[in-house]
Amino acid sequence: MYILNLLKVSLVLLTVLVLRIGTAQEKPDPITLYPADNQFDGWVLKDSVRTYVPNDLYLQVGEVAGLYTEFGIRKSLEGIYANEKAERIILEVFEMNDPKGAWGIFTMNSSAKGQNISLGDTATKYDYYLHFVKANYYFHCTTSNKSPESFQVLTAMASSMAEQITGHAKKPYIMLAFQFDNMDVTRERYFKGQIGLNEVFDFGHGSIASFDEGAGCRFEDKMFFVLAYSDERKRREWFASARGKFKMSQNQRFTDYKMMEDGFTAKDKNGSLFAFKPYGKFILITGGYTWNEGGEIFKKMEANLDHAAH
């Protein structure tokens, strides 16, 4: 019996060890992702790969460091490669706490002119750079030379880094709310807090607050937003707060507040009408539609969210 129990304990310990090894393999140290010198003919690393933690992230990305921190960043790295022609390739890796954070940074840095490419979980290229998401990593890769040859090397380097990472990132489910018939939305953005929301659209300080995650997009001159709260009770609390601020003119960016049967409307400084409607744990917002016109849009967003949740 003693030997049998000892064998059982040993088996449990072995299982835990294997699981830990597997987890470690799934999350490599980002510095090991970088190509070796001359792995790509003639391209060598200048100096060493620089590592940044959240407190000094501003040295790498400047004034948007707060946005990256809001998404939940663990650390970031920057490696600069050069060849004999003095051309440069800069490879930046941002290790986020979760895939949603990586996806969010990707959306914030995406250009409407970007071209989708097959790389990682989602990727685009534009002008002199490409960027992509793989699992909980966001990559931003640039070249100093726009020649096809340099961009080919840049793409090959990026692919070699992506191939070393297991796991995948999926598009945040609330972004699936924007699947409309006969409408190809643009400038899709995912955010996790007030800084991100303000980057997309400024509703006024504290007017829309305390959400867990959100998304926005455009179609021509129209705008759409979804804000998700932890539960319906919290959403009710903050929707009531937002309605009160718009109603009492505490929001200096909007006027002409009107209460509707299930929500409210208000106009921004440009005269565009915005409609606000609660739905479960969500606040749905349209810009550029009357309340009646936005009704069908709200119904479609609600159906999309219900479908995404299942």
Side-chain angles (χ1 to χ4, degrees):
M1 182 63 71
Y2 172 77
I3 295 177
L4 181 59
N5 288 335
L6 185 62
L7 288 173
K8 287 181 179 180
V9 171
S10 299
L11 181 60
V12 170
L13 291 175
L14 179 61
T15 301
V16 171
L17 179 62
V18 169
L19 289 175
R20 287 183 175 178
I21 293 174
T23 301
Q25 290 176 340
E26 289 177 2
K27 296 182 178 180
D29 185 338
I31 201 168
T32 65
L33 303 175
Y34 280 84
D37 286 348
N38 290 306
Q39 180 177 336
F40 296 89
D41 191 30
W43 290 89
V44 297
L45 184 67
K46 290 179 64 66
D47 299 322
S48 59
V49 176
R50 297 180 180 178
T51 300
Y52 301 88
V53 295
N55 288 341
D56 60 13
L57 183 62
Y58 69 93
L59 296 173
Q60 181 182 10
V61 300
E63 62 184 13
V64 297
L67 176 65
Y68 282 62
T69 301
E70 186 174 74
F71 276 114
I73 186 168
R74 293 176 183 169
K75 62 182 175 180
S76 63
L77 299 92
E78 178 185 58
I80 301 176
Y81 291 79
N83 62 10
E84 293 180 350
K85 299 178 182 179
E87 298 171 333
R88 290 190 174 192
I89 285 178
I90 303 174
L91 305 177
E92 296 178 284
V93 183
F94 299 85
E95 184 182 12
M96 311 303 290
N97 290 336
D98 56 48
K100 284 185 175 182
W103 203 287
I105 292 296
F106 173 81
T107 67
M108 288 294 184
N109 288 334
S110 292
S111 168
K113 298 179 180 179
Q115 176 185 347
N116 293 332
I117 58 175
S118 178
L119 181 61
D121 298 316
T122 185
T124 62
K125 67 175 183 178
Y126 174 64
D127 201 17
Y128 59 90
Y129 77 91
L130 64 82
H131 68 150
F132 67 97
V133 173
K134 185 66 189 294
N136 61 309
Y137 295 90
Y138 168 69
F139 294 80
H140 192 276
C141 311
T142 61
T143 175
S144 62
N145 190 320
K146 298 181 183 180
S147 69
E149 294 77 15
S150 292
F151 210 92
Q152 185 176 6
V153 174
L154 177 73
T155 304
M157 284 185 169
S159 296
S160 74
M161 299 175 82
E163 289 169 358
Q164 299 177 62
I165 301 173
T166 58
H168 298 281
K170 293 182 179 180
K171 192 174 189 177
Y173 81 98
I174 62 171
M175 296 185 72
L176 301 179
F178 306 134
Q179 296 179 340
F180 305 120
D181 297 331
N182 304 317
M183 292 171 59
D184 293 325
V185 299
T186 60
R187 297 172 65 178
E188 291 184 90
R189 301 288 187 264
Y190 173 81
F191 44 89
K192 281 191 171 184
Q194 204 69 48
I195 298 175
L197 174 59
N198 290 344
E199 286 286 325
V200 181
F201 190 82
D202 188 358
F203 284 96
H205 180 69
S207 296
I208 305 293
S210 293
F211 51 87
D212 291 345
E213 57 183 332
C217 69
R218 290 178 180 265
F219 173 69
E220 298 177 348
D221 61 342
K222 308 295 192 298
M223 302 180 70
F224 312 93
F225 296 90
V226 177
L227 304 171
Y229 291 80
S230 57
D231 53 50
E232 190 171 344
R233 181 199 61 78
K234 188 175 180 181
R235 190 275 303 156
R236 284 197 302 268
E237 174 186 347
W238 285 100
F239 187 78
S241 172
R243 183 169 53 195
K245 290 179 180 179
F246 279 86
K247 182 179 181 180
M248 301 303 293
S249 299
Q250 295 179 30
N251 187 318
Q252 301 301 315
R253 295 182 177 273
F254 286 82
T255 59
D256 199 20
Y257 166 89
K258 291 184 179 179
M259 185 173 180
M260 311 305 290
E261 181 178 355
D262 187 17
F264 66 92
T265 62
K267 290 183 180 179
D268 70 2
K269 290 183 176 181
N270 296 320
S272 295
L273 187 69
F274 282 73
F276 302 76
K277 184 180 186 296
Y279 180 70
K281 67 175 185 177
F282 305 100
I283 293 178
L284 311 181
I285 305 172
T286 62
Y289 293 97
T290 66
W291 180 262
N292 290 334
E293 290 172 341
E296 291 303 315
I297 299 294
F298 283 139
K299 288 180 181 179
K300 183 61 176 175
M301 293 170 73
E302 293 166 4
N304 288 341
L305 288 169
D306 288 342
H307 181 73
H310 296 89

